[in-house]
Amino acid sequence: MLILSPSILAADFTKLGQQIQETAEAGAQYIHLDVMDGMFVPQISFGMPVIETIRKATDKIFDVHLMIEDPGRYIEAFASIGADIITVHAEACTHLDRVIQQIKAAGKKAGVALNPATPLSALDYVLPDLDMVLIMTVNPGFGGQKLIPYCLDKVRELRSRIRELGLSTDIEVDGGIKAANAAEVIRAGANVLVGGSAVFSGDVAANTRAFIQVFREFENE
Ligand code: DX5
Ligand code: ZN
């Protein structure tokens, strides 16, 4: 199934509840929550209080992308405030296997994210344990950047590995994704698309529908 996960990093925070509602009504299935600690990435975004507050406003799936050092410290905390999928960066975990098991023990779906320069081999031994792999298509830290083309080669390679292993792991792409390049990333093998600026700049409902329209064309193929 093709899924749109709007990243609220690019939303108008004075109208957050309303904008989330608009994406949901227009067909977006997830909400992508970018947590940044000012260490793993330069920016500091938002944390538990914001997530906890919007949890009350929507029943959409919360796709929490932790761009924080040593995320194992906070898995139970994010699980308890309503995260559904928790994604940690391989580069930020000294004990990646342990953190994946922590996420699963908390009853949540486990994702691992890879920065553009991180090879897929970082996942060699843990792939069967994962619900989702997030292939960063920009260097994480900021919205509004341009997709790095070689990252789509990683998506293609990962999709074929997942097929070979007979798994059904989701592949999420994040960074520089727009309705205009959605078809290309889907063809490469991604099925969960994060949209930040492409969803929240301008008409949120129309932007969301533009993605959903691309999804429909694939589903009718
Ligand atoms: C970047 C974040 C993204 C960001 C994407 O580090 O992980 O989720 O919000 O923004 P766009 O879609 O504008 O590139
Ligand atoms: Zn993200």
Side-chain angles (χ1 to χ4, degrees):
M1 189 186 170
L2 296 169
I3 289 164
L4 179 64
S5 192
S7 164
I8 64 160
L9 197 61
D12 176 346
F13 276 65
T14 63
K15 302 181 190 152
L16 190 53
Q18 181 195 321
Q19 292 199 334
I20 288 174
Q21 192 67 29
E22 281 177 53
T23 67
E25 278 167 14
Q29 302 94 329
Y30 288 2
I31 298 293
H32 185 83
L33 299 154
D34 287 302
V35 179
M36 303 178 177
D37 67 353
M39 292 291 288
F40 182 69
V41 290
Q43 265 204 106
I44 298 175
S45 58
F46 52 78
M48 285 79 170
V50 171
I51 296 177
E52 214 171 351
T53 304
I54 57 177
R55 183 70 286 181
K56 296 177 193 131
T58 174
D59 58 4
K60 290 282 139 179
I61 291 173
F62 274 17
D63 168 26
V64 177
H65 177 193
L66 297 180
M67 283 164 276
I68 65 177
E69 287 293 352
D70 196 4
R73 296 172 295 159
Y74 294 108
I75 300 305
E76 289 75 20
F78 283 105
S80 72
I81 58 170
D84 297 293
I85 307 166
I86 301 180
T87 297
V88 296
H89 271 262
E91 305 86 358
C93 298
T94 308
H95 300 289
L96 181 60
D97 178 82
R98 182 183 294 155
V99 179
I100 294 165
Q101 300 317 323
Q102 257 180 284
I103 300 171
K104 294 171 84 160
K108 305 300 172 184
K109 289 194 167 177
V112 171
L114 300 181
N115 285 337
T118 304
L120 286 177
S121 59
L123 302 176
D124 275 357
Y125 298 100
V126 295
L127 191 54
D129 284 342
L130 301 180
D131 297 290
M132 187 167 87
V133 176
L134 196 179
I135 298 293
M136 288 303 309
T137 36
V138 299
N139 288 296
F142 305 95
Q145 304 181 76
K146 225 168 150 308
L147 180 144
I148 301 171
Y150 74 73
C151 295
L152 295 190
D153 296 335
K154 273 167 90 175
V155 172
R156 276 185 274 274
E157 208 181 304
L158 177 61
R159 182 51 77 197
S160 75
R161 254 186 232 189
I162 288 171
R163 276 204 198 104
E164 277 163 26
L165 292 169
L167 301 170
S168 55
T169 324
D170 288 321
I171 300 180
E172 180 171 55
V173 281
D174 184 6
I177 308 297
K178 315 174 179 320
N181 61 19
E184 191 187 0
V185 301
I186 294 165
R187 266 189 222 107
N191 68 302
V192 183
L193 279 64
V194 176
S197 44
V199 171
F200 290 101
S201 309
D203 185 335
V204 176
N207 294 340
T208 304
R209 282 196 297 269
F211 276 96
I212 302 300
Q213 180 58 37
V214 177
F215 293 179
R216 292 224 176 98
E217 284 160 21
F218 272 89
E219 280 155 1
N220 292 334
E221 259 180 18

